[in-house]
Amino acid sequence: MKIRAAAAVLAFAAAGVTLTPTAQSAETPTPRSAEQTCTSQAPVGATASTSEGVNQPARAIDGDLGTRWSGQGFGAYLTLDLGSVRELCGARIAWHQGDKRWNDFTLYVSDNPAFTTYKKVWEGRSSGTTPGLSDHSFAPVSGRYLRISFWQNPVNDWASITEALPKVTGPKAGEAPVIVAAGDFATTCTGTSCPVSKTAVRAQALDPDAVLTLGDHANGPHEKFLQYYEPTWGKLKSLTHPAPGNHDYLGETGEYEGNDAAGYFKYFGSAAGTAQRSWYSFDLGSWHIVSLNSEVDRKADGQQVAWLRQDLAATDKKCVLSFWHRPKYSSGSGHGDFPNMKPFWDELQTVKADVVLNGHDHNYERFAPQTSTGSASSDGIRQFVVGTAGSKLRDMGSARPNSEVRVPNQYGVLKMTLDDGSYSWQFIAENGSVLDSGGPVACH
């Protein structure tokens, strides 16, 4: 069971948004997949050293961020049972009032419920800045039980956990992978009331297997990433697969020319590739996912497109999704269409790719499947524009052909369920309202 109830628990009234419906040489690709092997796994049970009234251990594994386990005292602990011995690689934990206080705690793993033998795998302090789930990763270790031992917080001697999920290596049997995607995070707003903070909490509550970020993470330098991105969407960094945007290439004084997105590559490290080759791919379930860079080397005879052609020829996955920053098609008033994205689209269209995700225009829009020349086609690619993570929103312009749904002036995230041979989607506002949904749609 994934944390699906959290979105409902945190939901408020609908935001009143109107939806408008309408009918060098090429390199050998080396797809990534290692980051996909450490995924959440719901425990089959939970016990604790002590509990308060109705706040029993089961309430920390019920998928509801509105309930909790509470236990009093130095060393109070919650133990999660996976049901069988697995290779654990981390934990996702949400603390009660986690945006108001930090908690010091330790994680232990054992293969027996009495913990007569065990291994300490992690110790430290929660951020104190989010009520949502936070990731705590460690080197893989075999065991059946994960124990969370509380030591202190600055307010009282109570351990209170709203939700806890072990993370294990390998896929989650019987569940289709879920991704969360959004772009355009860049802002100078700080604090939990900022839109970028709220969309980050919403993304965490959806408990995704992967996060695809569609560019414009920060306004250039590395310090901006640390100041504005890290406290919000940075909590999902271990799950994140990024694509750069134009704002990621900004320099100290706000200029683009001569800059190499050093802050972006420093912050994301190997997950982003390098300035010389910032495109990559990985597999998730039956899907092949490709991250491209719309800011550099996008000509049809360039290195990036040559790599893309080889990468797509090498995959044997049923379904293909690609993401980058600038949209080929957009009804947004800020930017609109970017025809120079056509070489990307042409290559993807050749293999009958299914989905493209973009940002850049600060709104949400969904298109019907179409070709690189803008013709509606059942064999075409469906594009989503999701520039709604936190930057200042913009109005929509005139509707482009094949635009099906447009949502202006609303922050939110795109949730996609990537099933074996199909996909479904929801655009979810920061307050939990579902403003667009569809599927399952079969892959080509």
Side-chain angles (χ1 to χ4, degrees):
M1 177 186 72
K2 293 168 70 71
I3 303 181
R4 301 296 180 233
V9 172
L10 296 178
F12 298 97
V17 176
T18 300
L19 303 185
T20 310
T22 68
Q24 298 169 10
S25 60
E27 304 169 61
T28 301
T30 54
R32 304 178 187 185
S33 59
E35 292 179 320
Q36 306 316 117
T37 62
C38 189
T39 54
S40 302
Q41 176 66 55
V44 299
T47 58
S49 58
T50 179
S51 299
E52 173 205 25
V54 298
N55 296 324
Q56 295 296 305
R59 292 199 164 199
I61 61 169
D62 61 358
D64 188 343
L65 290 173
T67 64
R68 69 181 188 270
W69 161 75
S70 291
Q72 189 174 24
F74 180 86
Y77 60 78
L78 177 72
T79 302
L80 308 177
D81 180 8
L82 281 165
S84 61
V85 173
R86 299 290 300 272
E87 188 171 67
L88 289 100
C89 51
R92 308 192 70 203
I93 303 171
W95 294 87
H96 176 57
Q97 297 189 345
D99 56 340
K100 297 179 174 64
R101 64 195 188 206
W102 49 259
N103 292 269
D104 286 343
F105 63 102
T106 304
L107 300 178
Y108 303 93
V109 170
S110 180
D111 57 4
N112 68 85
F115 277 68
T116 52
T117 59
Y118 61 87
K119 183 173 183 178
K120 181 170 74 173
V121 292
W122 191 94
E123 63 181 351
R125 174 173 292 179
S126 67
S127 70
T129 61
T130 178
L133 288 158
S134 293
D135 276 282
H136 308 283
S137 298
F138 48 81
V141 58
S142 179
R144 173 173 170 173
Y145 302 92
L146 176 70
R147 178 167 291 178
I148 307 166
S149 293
F150 163 82
W151 305 116
Q152 64 177 343
N153 66 46
V155 177
N156 54 41
D157 62 348
W158 283 91
S160 294
I161 294 174
T162 58
E163 205 65 33
L165 283 168
K167 296 177 70 177
V168 299
T169 59
K172 290 171 283 187
E175 290 192 27
V178 168
I179 64 166
V180 166
D184 300 276
F185 313 82
T187 182
T188 56
C189 185
T190 59
T192 56
S193 64
C194 296
V196 72
S197 298
K198 294 179 180 180
T199 58
V201 170
R202 174 61 46 208
Q204 291 178 75
L206 294 172
D207 187 27
D209 296 281
V211 174
L212 310 185
T213 55
L214 312 178
D216 283 7
H217 305 82
N219 291 313
H222 184 244
E223 293 74 17
K224 302 288 187 180
F225 282 81
L226 298 180
Q227 185 174 3
Y228 301 114
Y229 185 87
E230 174 65 18
T232 57
W233 284 75
K235 293 178 174 63
L236 291 155
K237 188 176 180 181
S238 65
L239 300 174
T240 297
H241 302 269
N246 54 302
H247 281 253
D248 297 313
Y249 279 83
L250 281 171
E252 292 283 356
T253 58
E255 78 286 353
Y256 291 106
E257 188 173 353
N259 292 301
D260 58 1
Y264 166 84
F265 292 108
K266 181 176 181 180
Y267 180 78
F268 285 110
S270 61
T274 67
Q276 291 71 43
R277 206 201 84 173
S278 49
W279 42 89
Y280 59 89
S281 65
F282 63 95
D283 294 332
L284 186 60
S286 64
W287 285 73
H288 186 62
I289 301 178
V290 185
S291 175
L292 299 174
N293 187 343
S294 63
E295 309 309 301
V296 301
D297 190 24
R298 54 204 179 207
K299 294 182 179 180
D301 59 353
Q303 180 185 5
Q304 182 170 196
V305 171
W307 173 89
L308 175 61
R309 186 179 304 121
Q310 290 193 14
D311 178 79
L312 294 174
T315 186
D316 60 356
K317 295 298 181 179
K318 296 179 182 178
C319 311
V320 175
L321 179 155
S322 187
F323 64 103
W324 62 85
H325 185 56
R326 300 177 189 246
K328 175 133 183 12
Y329 305 106
S330 173
S331 304
S333 63
H335 299 290
D337 291 1
F338 275 84
N340 51 8
M341 297 298 107
K342 186 176 184 294
F344 292 174
W345 204 283
D346 284 338
E347 296 301 329
L348 292 161
Q349 184 176 288
T350 297
V351 299
K352 295 187 177 182
D354 302 283
V355 176
V356 162
L357 307 179
N358 306 119
H360 201 48
D361 266 322
H362 300 177
N363 44 55
Y364 172 82
E365 185 169 16
R366 169 168 57 84
F367 286 86
Q370 58 188 319
T371 68
S372 66
T373 58
S375 298
S377 171
S378 59
D379 287 333
I381 303 171
R382 186 186 300 279
Q383 179 192 297
F384 296 81
V385 180
V386 197
T388 54
S391 298
K392 185 178 179 180
L393 296 169
R394 303 190 182 110
D395 292 329
M396 303 298 298
S398 299
R400 299 290 296 135
N402 306 313
S403 176
E404 292 185 318
V405 170
R406 296 171 297 284
V407 181
N409 301 312
Q410 179 63 65
Y411 294 105
V413 301
L414 179 67
K415 171 190 173 185
M416 295 194 73
T417 303
L418 304 183
D419 219 322
D420 185 12
S422 67
Y423 63 95
S424 303
W425 69 87
Q426 292 181 317
F427 177 60
I428 305 175
E430 56 183 318
N431 65 9
S433 303
V434 177
L435 304 181
D436 181 37
S437 62
V441 175
C443 297
H444 295 319

